[in-house]
Amino acid sequence: MRVRIFETDEHVARALALRMASLLAAQPAVVLGLPTGRTPIPLYRALVRLHRAGRADFSRATTFNLDEFVGLAHDDPRGYHGFMRRHLFDQVNLDARRIHLLNGAAADLAKECIRYERAIEKAGGIDLQILGLGLNGHIGFNEPARALVATTHRTRLRQATRRANAALFGHRLRNVPAEGLSMGMATILRAKRIVLLATGASKARSVARMVDGSVTPRLPASFLQLHRDAEVWIDRAAAVAISGPHRGARRR
Ligand code: GLP
């Protein structure tokens, strides 16, 4: 796992947006795995800027989002679909037919998960998976547990995760769905390349456990240590607790 440390969250966002723009230029039909949350917002803003400047063409790209809430209509603005439309999809030239999200309102959620796995396979797999990091070390909605689930699945959300998502629901915890659908650990680890983004002091502890600690289902992000091309892009605030060999990671 390679760690890259940048000065601020804006630096992280700009550098990753540039990397994604070059990937789109070199491989226009690239398949991207995308996260939601506060962390990727500056990245999406930077991608929209590059697109407007004619430097990022999404016309042939395919996207798969990591996760979605259970029970919200597909067009509910509080869901991750609504989030993605606001921050990226409505502002770049992605083809709607190549945008994929889990449908948390599907009549048969088990079938919906199988459909998603197949759609990823049919697209040829994910070339670049971008991830955020939950405060508790989750990725997607793969919460810390005694055992993790390999493929796309339905899952109960931890209170901490519901709290972290409350802003989308008018800061009312009771309105945050109790369950989600999420790519599983194998779905994520099958991506050819992975970049996990983490910014801000609140993530420092989970970042340190992820890069220095043991591989454990108690911190799902630690499984990225097993991937042959996983990078962790963080700002200085998120890097303060790192103590192992990654301490000397190149600063930008
Ligand atoms: C949510 C999402 C995750 C995301 C995490 C981090 O729970 N399901 O995919 O990575 O939040 O959110 P933030 O970037 O707001 O800290």
Side-chain angles (χ1 to χ4, degrees):
M1 188 152 62
R2 284 183 300 281
V3 178
R4 297 177 65 180
I5 303 169
F6 297 78
E7 201 55 39
T8 67
D9 57 346
E10 261 311 310
H11 290 88
V12 181
R14 268 185 250 151
L16 185 53
L18 285 172
R19 156 89 75 97
M20 291 172 76
S22 338
L23 184 59
L24 285 162
Q27 195 183 334
V30 70
V31 181
L32 300 169
L34 300 176
T36 50
R38 274 179 299 273
T39 314
I41 292 176
L43 167 68
Y44 295 146
R45 222 183 286 131
L47 281 172
V48 170
R49 274 198 306 266
L50 286 174
H51 172 69
R52 291 196 180 134
R55 295 169 65 194
D57 176 12
F58 292 84
S59 59
R60 293 180 55 204
T62 296
T63 67
F64 286 93
N65 263 80
L66 265 173
D67 47 14
E68 180 56 285
F69 295 104
V70 163
L72 294 186
H74 210 44
D75 54 358
D76 190 316
R78 300 169 302 174
Y80 286 162
H81 192 196
F83 173 98
M84 290 306 297
R85 288 191 60 174
R86 284 193 297 283
H87 291 286
L88 188 71
F89 297 159
D90 286 351
Q91 306 195 54
V92 298
N93 62 338
L94 273 162
D95 183 334
R97 288 168 305 180
R98 284 193 281 274
I99 290 175
H100 303 272
L101 273 106
L102 281 152
N103 178 8
D108 185 334
L109 292 171
K111 261 199 199 140
E112 172 62 6
C113 293
I114 295 169
R115 177 196 71 79
Y116 209 63
E117 285 287 326
R118 292 207 178 123
I120 294 173
E121 224 172 277
K122 200 165 153 228
I126 291 169
D127 294 305
L128 174 63
Q129 175 70 55
I130 312 293
L131 296 173
L133 177 67
L135 284 175
N136 62 6
H138 74 220
I139 48 180
F141 277 142
N142 294 277
E143 299 278 33
R146 257 200 308 254
L148 299 174
V149 182
T151 55
T152 300
H153 60 285
R154 177 180 188 170
T155 181
R156 183 150 286 279
L157 306 180
R158 290 287 182 96
Q159 278 303 95
T161 300
R162 295 181 65 223
R163 236 177 279 123
N165 281 279
L168 288 168
F169 297 86
H171 298 278
R172 279 169 212 264
L173 187 58
R174 66 184 146 85
N175 290 347
V176 183
E179 292 180 293
L181 299 180
S182 178
M183 285 187 194
M185 295 304 293
T187 325
I188 293 170
L189 291 170
R190 272 196 294 263
K192 293 171 194 105
R193 261 174 287 171
I194 298 177
V195 174
L196 178 140
L197 293 179
T199 54
S202 66
K203 300 289 170 72
R205 195 165 163 265
S206 289
V207 165
R209 287 179 63 206
M210 165 178 65
V211 304
D212 293 331
S214 47
V215 176
T216 165
R218 294 285 173 206
L219 194 98
S222 65
F223 276 75
L224 298 182
Q225 292 179 28
L226 305 177
H227 194 276
R228 67 169 78 228
D229 194 352
E231 295 185 5
V232 173
W233 290 30
I234 53 183
D235 64 358
R236 292 228 308 210
V240 293
I242 295 177
S243 62
H246 294 293
R247 205 197 175 105
R250 209 147 121 230
R251 285 173 164 72
R252 284 149 204 277

